[in-house]
Amino acid sequence: MSETVQTRPFAPFEWLLSGRYLRARRKEGFISVIAGFSFLGIMLGVATLIIVMAVMNGFRKELLDKILGLNGHLLVQPLESPLTDWKDVADRINQVPGIRLAAPVVDGQGLASSPFNASGVFIRGIRAEDLNNLTSIAKNIKQGSLEGFDEGQGVAIGRRLADTLSLHAGDTITLISPKGAVTPFGTTPRIKPYKIAAVFEIGMSEYDASFVFMPLTEAQAYFNRANDVSAIEVFTNNPDKIDAFRKSVTEAAGRPIFLVDWRQRNATFFNALQVERNVMFLILTMIVLVAALNIVSGLIMLVKDKGQDIAILRTMGASQGAIMRIFLITGASIGVVGTLVGFFVGMLICLNIESIRQFLSWLTSTELFDPTLYFLSKLPAEIDFGETSAVVIMALTLSFLATLYPSWRAARLDPVEALRYE
């Protein structure tokens, strides 16, 4: 047996042999099939992980934007006495650095009806200047206008509510409140018609189907408020750092208040979303793991099939390290190429996911993303490059780890035993 020849790591002949082993001949067709399935498994696993994580991130971002675009990041509620000094309190809170808007509101529930239908609604009284500062509403007016909102008795309603009641801007909507005038015979419901000044669509079906905005002074009269408000909705420049505003808002209020932030108001919803996201990541990681195990089985079969070749290479002077590197390159190539293709496929689908959804809906003649069930009017995808990088690194790491044992087996193969019966 000739002496072992020391060659530099990853020499050209190692790459050449690895490439030949990847292009299996007819008798090695089954090994080629296993390699193909390993490649497809890793590609689909990486692509699916990227797509699902992007869609989950998109859901969270869109829902957060919609919810916080309409509801304050901090809700200031009165303690001990009603908020009759709401104007002064709101002005002081508006002066706090980082506060974008402090909007006094009067909230109540009612029934909206038309000659065609009726629906339960959430009525919010708000000043015109504050409503115009809510970009989620002011920039999404589909019919009518918010001009002169404070001057008349007009209301702004959501697009889905307008569709449900078969109404348009300029039509009359009748609002019914159970808390009306108190008479000797008891409290009678308050029934009052209002002109629809504007129809908005923020893209979240639950809000578009239930919200009615009314001038603040009109809402105070409608709900029998003695010049006070239900609460003050406070909007900040950075909702993720809401704790930093609690102390300054409490001090600025200058009266006993109770603060509730957006995380407390929506804790169950966003916690459920986070749990679902983590579980999906764990389940889909299994796809990549199974594909990596396929690389192990394919390489072990290749090592057994190439026993003679390994023995001849060893007798010609190839080192154990060279043999190990040949099979490392062979297995890792499947993982690296599969991961990169999966990455590009995942990114391509994420960037065009809404167009793909519309095409599939058209092709199958079904609604694949019903806004009434999923709250949003379109399928969102928000690519987080940190998460995407983590998925790619995880897939590459699993692919490299999967090649270690078969490559070690190949390097440990005894050439004498391999050639004994040949």
Side-chain angles (χ1 to χ4, degrees):
M1 187 180 297
S2 63
E3 294 183 2
T4 300
V5 179
Q6 295 296 325
T7 59
R8 63 185 178 86
F10 300 104
F13 91 95
E14 296 173 7
W15 289 95
L16 177 66
L17 283 174
S18 299
R20 288 194 175 181
Y21 288 164
L22 282 171
R23 300 190 300 272
R25 295 180 179 83
R26 185 179 304 170
K27 68 173 185 174
E28 300 145 9
F30 186 61
I31 297 172
S32 180
V33 168
I34 291 177
F37 277 118
S38 301
F39 165 81
L40 285 175
I42 289 177
M43 183 199 76
L44 291 174
V46 170
T48 306
L49 258 175
I50 290 173
I51 294 165
V52 169
M53 290 296 102
V55 170
M56 297 297 286
N57 286 336
F59 263 112
R60 187 183 185 279
K61 182 179 182 299
E62 286 292 320
L63 289 172
L64 198 59
D65 289 346
K66 305 295 184 190
I67 292 171
L68 298 188
L70 200 60
N71 297 300
H73 308 157
L74 269 175
L75 183 68
V76 178
Q77 296 175 310
L79 282 178
E80 298 179 5
S81 62
L83 264 172
T84 52
D85 55 343
W86 53 269
K87 189 175 292 186
D88 294 333
V89 173
D91 288 342
R92 288 195 296 268
I93 293 175
N94 268 319
Q95 301 303 315
V96 175
I99 298 300
R100 184 165 54 86
L101 175 66
V105 295
V106 171
D107 291 335
Q109 293 180 325
L111 179 71
S113 68
S114 72
F116 314 100
N117 211 338
S119 178
V121 292
F122 183 83
I123 303 168
R124 170 163 289 177
I126 188 170
R127 296 179 296 187
E129 60 188 270
D130 295 333
L131 186 59
N132 281 311
N133 283 325
L134 292 180
T135 54
S136 60
I137 300 295
K139 292 187 176 180
N140 291 289
I141 301 297
K142 302 302 178 182
Q143 298 175 21
S145 169
L146 292 178
E147 290 182 13
F149 183 75
D150 264 350
E151 299 169 7
Q153 291 185 337
V155 296
I157 69 173
R159 179 69 173 270
R160 290 189 174 275
L161 178 60
D163 291 342
T164 300
L165 302 179
S166 301
L167 296 174
H168 302 86
D171 292 343
T172 298
I173 183 173
T174 302
L175 296 180
I176 305 168
S177 170
K179 296 181 181 180
V182 179
T183 69
F185 302 100
T187 303
T188 60
R190 172 161 284 136
I191 304 172
K192 190 169 182 180
Y194 290 94
K195 180 183 176 182
I196 299 174
V199 175
F200 62 85
E201 183 177 22
I202 65 173
M204 189 168 179
S205 61
E206 186 179 16
Y207 289 166
D208 289 337
S210 62
F211 258 82
V212 173
F213 286 97
M214 180 185 290
L216 183 63
T217 52
E218 180 61 29
Q220 287 174 325
Y222 186 78
F223 289 110
N224 298 324
R225 288 275 180 180
N227 197 34
D228 69 318
V229 298
S230 307
I232 298 175
E233 297 273 5
V234 179
F235 296 82
T236 68
N237 291 329
N238 192 345
D240 288 325
K241 295 182 178 178
I242 197 66
D243 290 330
F245 296 100
R246 280 181 166 272
K247 184 178 178 182
S248 53
V249 169
T250 303
E251 292 174 352
R255 56 155 293 150
I257 59 169
F258 178 69
L259 291 179
V260 181
D261 64 46
W262 66 269
R263 296 169 304 183
Q264 294 168 307
R265 295 165 79 179
N266 304 283
T268 304
F269 181 77
F270 284 107
N271 286 343
L273 202 63
Q274 184 64 33
V275 169
E276 184 180 357
R277 185 170 167 277
N278 292 339
V279 170
M280 290 299 291
F281 182 85
L282 187 62
I283 292 172
L284 293 171
T285 301
M286 297 297 126
I287 299 176
V288 182
L289 185 59
V290 169
L293 292 176
N294 282 341
I295 294 177
V296 175
S297 60
L299 279 181
I300 289 176
M301 292 182 66
L302 184 63
V303 169
K304 285 189 173 294
D305 187 72
K306 297 295 183 182
Q308 291 182 45
D309 295 14
I310 295 169
I312 292 170
L313 285 170
R314 290 299 311 282
T315 57
M316 291 174 65
S319 66
Q320 286 186 335
I323 299 298
M324 187 171 184
R325 287 192 293 272
I326 288 169
F327 286 93
L328 271 174
I329 294 170
T330 303
S333 297
I334 299 170
V336 170
V337 176
T339 300
L340 291 178
V341 173
F343 168 75
F344 286 115
V345 169
M347 294 292 283
L348 187 65
I349 291 176
C350 286
L351 294 173
N352 299 279
I353 195 161
E354 177 60 17
S355 300
I356 294 170
R357 182 196 71 82
Q358 292 176 2
F359 172 73
L360 291 175
S361 294
W362 171 80
L363 194 65
T364 58
S365 300
T366 55
E367 183 62 69
L368 296 180
F369 188 75
D370 188 353
T372 59
L373 297 177
Y374 298 101
F375 299 107
L376 303 175
S377 55
K378 66 178 183 178
L379 188 61
E382 179 75 14
I383 299 169
D384 185 318
F385 289 99
E387 276 186 354
T388 304
S389 301
V391 170
V392 170
I393 292 170
M394 178 198 69
L396 291 174
T397 302
L398 288 175
S399 301
F400 281 118
L401 290 176
T403 63
L404 290 179
Y405 176 69
S407 303
W408 178 80
R409 282 280 302 270
R412 299 286 296 174
L413 187 67
D414 186 354
V416 176
E417 290 295 325
L419 295 173
R420 174 172 292 177
Y421 301 105
E422 297 300 328

